[in-house]
Amino acid sequence: MASRNYITCLLSTIHDPQGKMYEPIKCLLPRLLDIYDNVAISITNKTHLSIIDAIGIYGSVGPTAGIANGRRRVLELGLKSNADYFHYCDFDRILFWVAHFPKQLWHTINDTKGIDKMVILERSNEAWRSHPLLQRLTEWVINCRYSNGKYTDYLTGSRIIPRPMVEMILAKSKVTNGATLDVEWPLIIELNNLLYLKVDGLAYEHKYLGLQKPFIQEVKTRVDNMVSALWRI
């Protein structure tokens, strides 16, 4: 589809104080480097040193200042590269994706080059059903609240964004909550500049990586995110 050799950069964030993602990173980071031209990862300073070492030159360590600030920081890091397109995806999600659906990931990145719109990557029906009921319920409420005529799965947080739109987002993004940010970026870009693509690779990644939170903590996080996203944009 692309008429020239567009450059794509993976953008992601990591907060892993216990180092649970060390083995998957050692195994799967080389596969990501085969798919993306550049990789930029914002790592919190509370992340385990083994993770920081495993990421190496592709990571930049900064203060733990909340999910939203971490994601804006990685946009800034990405713009220091010469990339034309940026794929933002949480690092646990992208590890799962490249491990289980590598061909789909490759096609997703390469088939969207040359498009002048933000591509919102949504969960396929099978990927959606793989998530715990509590997560599906709270995220469905938020997605419904901001969908305009067509149900949109905003809460994957995964987007492919052309460089000019990344610059626009950085100039206008202000929210502090991660779930709210998932909705804010597309709202900044506006409806007529959005495309949508359903993928299997955004299935439930936490079980695969052993990152599940204790149930009570998970309930609090999901409900707090839902309330913030419903009332703060």
Side-chain angles (χ1 to χ4, degrees):
M1 180 172 188
S3 60
R4 68 180 180 87
N5 187 25
Y6 292 100
I7 296 172
T8 301
C9 179
L10 171 65
L11 303 178
S12 198
T13 55
I14 296 178
H15 176 68
D16 184 5
Q18 296 178 304
K20 290 185 176 181
M21 288 193 286
Y22 175 75
E23 290 297 335
I25 288 171
K26 292 293 287 185
C27 175
L28 298 171
L29 181 58
R31 299 190 199 179
L32 292 172
L33 296 174
D34 285 339
I35 295 173
Y36 296 93
D37 303 293
N38 292 312
V39 174
I41 303 170
S42 177
I43 308 173
T44 66
N45 57 7
K46 293 184 179 180
T47 291
H48 198 278
L49 286 176
S50 66
I51 301 294
I52 296 172
D53 289 342
I55 294 297
I57 62 172
Y58 304 103
S60 176
V61 179
T64 305
I67 293 173
N69 287 328
R71 291 186 186 177
R72 282 188 286 264
R73 180 172 179 267
V74 82
L75 294 185
E76 294 173 349
L77 292 173
L79 287 176
K80 294 179 181 179
S81 74
N82 62 343
D84 304 292
Y85 289 87
F86 300 89
H87 176 205
Y88 179 83
C89 190
D90 291 342
F91 207 65
D92 49 0
R93 280 196 182 279
I94 202 67
L95 289 176
F96 177 90
W97 194 347
V98 77
H100 294 273
F101 301 93
K103 290 183 179 179
Q104 184 190 66
L105 178 58
W106 187 93
H107 281 290
T108 299
I109 299 307
N110 286 279
D111 292 351
T112 54
K113 290 181 178 180
I115 294 175
D116 62 352
K117 298 179 184 292
M118 173 191 280
V119 181
I120 296 178
L121 300 172
E122 302 180 289
R123 286 164 284 200
S124 66
N125 290 338
E126 185 175 353
W128 174 258
R129 288 193 297 267
S130 72
H131 289 70
L133 179 60
L134 173 65
Q135 182 173 350
R136 281 183 280 158
L137 176 62
T138 53
E139 292 187 355
W140 178 83
V141 170
I142 299 169
N143 287 333
C144 286
R145 166 68 176 82
Y146 292 101
S147 295
N148 188 353
K150 170 189 174 297
Y151 178 83
T152 301
D153 186 11
Y154 290 111
L155 270 291
T156 66
S158 187
R159 290 91 175 82
I160 297 172
I161 317 172
R163 188 180 191 93
M165 292 185 180
V166 170
E167 295 169 345
M168 183 188 304
I169 289 168
L170 271 176
K172 296 184 177 182
S173 178
K174 297 179 180 178
V175 301
T176 58
N177 175 271
T180 312
L181 195 78
D182 288 342
V183 177
E184 183 202 41
W185 289 7
L187 293 182
I188 288 172
I189 299 304
E190 300 181 349
L191 192 63
N192 62 336
N193 287 313
L194 303 176
L195 293 176
Y196 311 89
L197 179 64
K198 291 184 181 295
V199 297
D200 299 313
L202 293 174
Y204 186 56
E205 77 288 355
H206 280 195
K207 185 175 181 180
Y208 166 69
L209 295 168
L211 300 175
Q212 301 101 314
K213 296 177 182 177
F215 180 72
I216 298 300
Q217 183 182 353
E218 181 72 12
V219 170
K220 183 179 186 305
T221 298
R222 294 293 170 191
V223 173
D224 286 350
N225 284 343
M226 182 177 67
V227 171
S228 295
L230 290 176
W231 301 108
R232 295 184 185 177
I233 294 183

